[in-house]
Amino acid sequence: MKTPYKNIYNVLKLNRFIVLAVVACALLSSTFSVWMVFNTNQKALNSAFAINTDGSIIPLKLVTQKENFRVEALAHLDLFHNYFYNIDASNYERNLEKALWLGNSSVDNLYRQKKADGVYNRLLQYSLVQKVLSIDSRITENNGSYSFTTTTIFEINRGSIIDTYELVSTGNLIMVDRNFPNNPHGLLITNYFENTLKKLNDES
């Protein structure tokens, strides 16, 4: 008994259906793969990775990193200006030593210049009290580098006379290793410069 042949048209239809199904699956698979690559790339652009103590990978958002940097930078600048300008005869050596940990040679050079000009000798001689009233810092980012402008309001108590001054200073910030308690924020002030010093109240 002869095996009956299948209808050639039915075979061709089945083959055509199989080919179309394979092509459709391939297109869907390719589209999904492209989308996954694009999505992963976008996440990678907005993320950084750190290795935890147990070896796991921790994603860190760059936006969060920048926000954290700004908070740390403002705290660092506040700490430095308090140490450097909030001084009197009893604490100036201790405060200035702490301030020098927060900046590079530009801060040290300014300190040496002030010392040579007799600023700290007058502090001792006349028992002056220099007190910081407010610190306002603005941080600017340019191609990954950070600069700042800080306005410090402080007063100098001469006993019967209190004079108030406004100091505008500028500089840059770079990241360094944290050194607790000397440099808890892991930042260093560079190119520090006192731009302007203005007396706010008239002498009576």
Side-chain angles (χ1 to χ4, degrees), residues 189-200:
I189 294 170
T190 64
N191 303 318
Y192 187 68
F193 186 73
E194 292 181 342
N195 292 72
T196 60
L197 179 64
K198 180 174 64 177
K199 192 173 180 180
L200 296 182

Side-chain angles (χ1 to χ4, degrees), residues 160-174:
S160 59
I161 300 175
I162 299 178
D163 294 323
T164 306
Y165 296 88
E166 178 188 83
L167 171 70
V168 177
S169 55
T170 58
N172 299 99
L173 286 170
I174 61 174

Side-chain angles (χ1 to χ4, degrees), residues 28-198:
L28 288 174
S29 178
S30 299
T31 303
F32 180 74
S33 299
V34 170
W35 178 82
M36 284 294 293
V37 169
F38 177 79
N39 191 43
T40 303
N41 182 60
Q42 288 299 109
K43 287 181 179 179
L45 289 175
N46 292 321
S47 303
F49 299 91
I51 305 299
N52 199 0
T53 53
D54 60 1
S56 61
I57 297 177
I58 308 171
L60 302 172
K61 295 293 182 181
L62 288 179
V63 173
T64 304
Q65 282 185 311
K66 289 181 179 180
E67 289 175 353
N68 290 342
F69 176 86
R70 189 168 296 273
V71 171
E72 298 246 26
L74 291 174
H76 185 84
L77 292 171
D78 189 78
L79 193 63
F80 167 77
H81 286 84
N82 264 305
Y83 281 147
F84 203 73
Y85 299 103
N86 200 69
I87 55 177
D88 57 40
S90 65
N91 70 9
Y92 83 97
E93 289 184 327
R94 182 173 64 255
N95 279 10
L96 290 173
E97 182 181 354
K98 292 178 180 179
L100 292 176
W101 277 96
L102 307 178
N104 72 344
S105 58
S106 62
V107 174
D108 184 62
N109 290 339
L110 179 60
Y111 159 71
R112 293 178 184 276
Q113 179 186 332
K114 287 177 178 288
K115 188 176 182 180
D117 292 341
V119 171
Y120 306 120
N121 283 338
R122 288 193 294 273
L123 195 75
L124 291 172
Q125 184 177 356
Y126 300 107
S127 297
L128 303 179
V129 177
Q130 185 170 294
K131 181 181 179 182
V132 172
L133 303 177
S134 67
I135 300 169
D136 179 31
S137 298
R138 297 186 302 278
I139 300 170
T140 305
E141 180 189 2
N142 185 19
N143 295 327
S145 62
Y146 294 89
S147 59
F148 67 87
T149 300
T150 300
T151 302
T152 305
I153 308 295
F154 64 91
E155 64 181 20
I156 298 179
N157 189 327
R158 296 181 170 88
S160 59
I161 300 175
I162 299 178
D163 294 323
T164 306
Y165 296 88
E166 178 188 83
L167 171 70
V168 177
S169 55
T170 58
N172 299 99
L173 286 170
I174 61 174
M175 287 180 282
V176 296
D177 291 336
R178 294 179 190 268
N179 185 343
F180 187 84
N182 297 318
N183 191 335
H185 301 290
L187 296 169
L188 197 70
I189 294 170
T190 64
N191 303 318
Y192 187 68
F193 186 73
E194 292 181 342
N195 292 72
T196 60
L197 179 64
K198 180 174 64 177

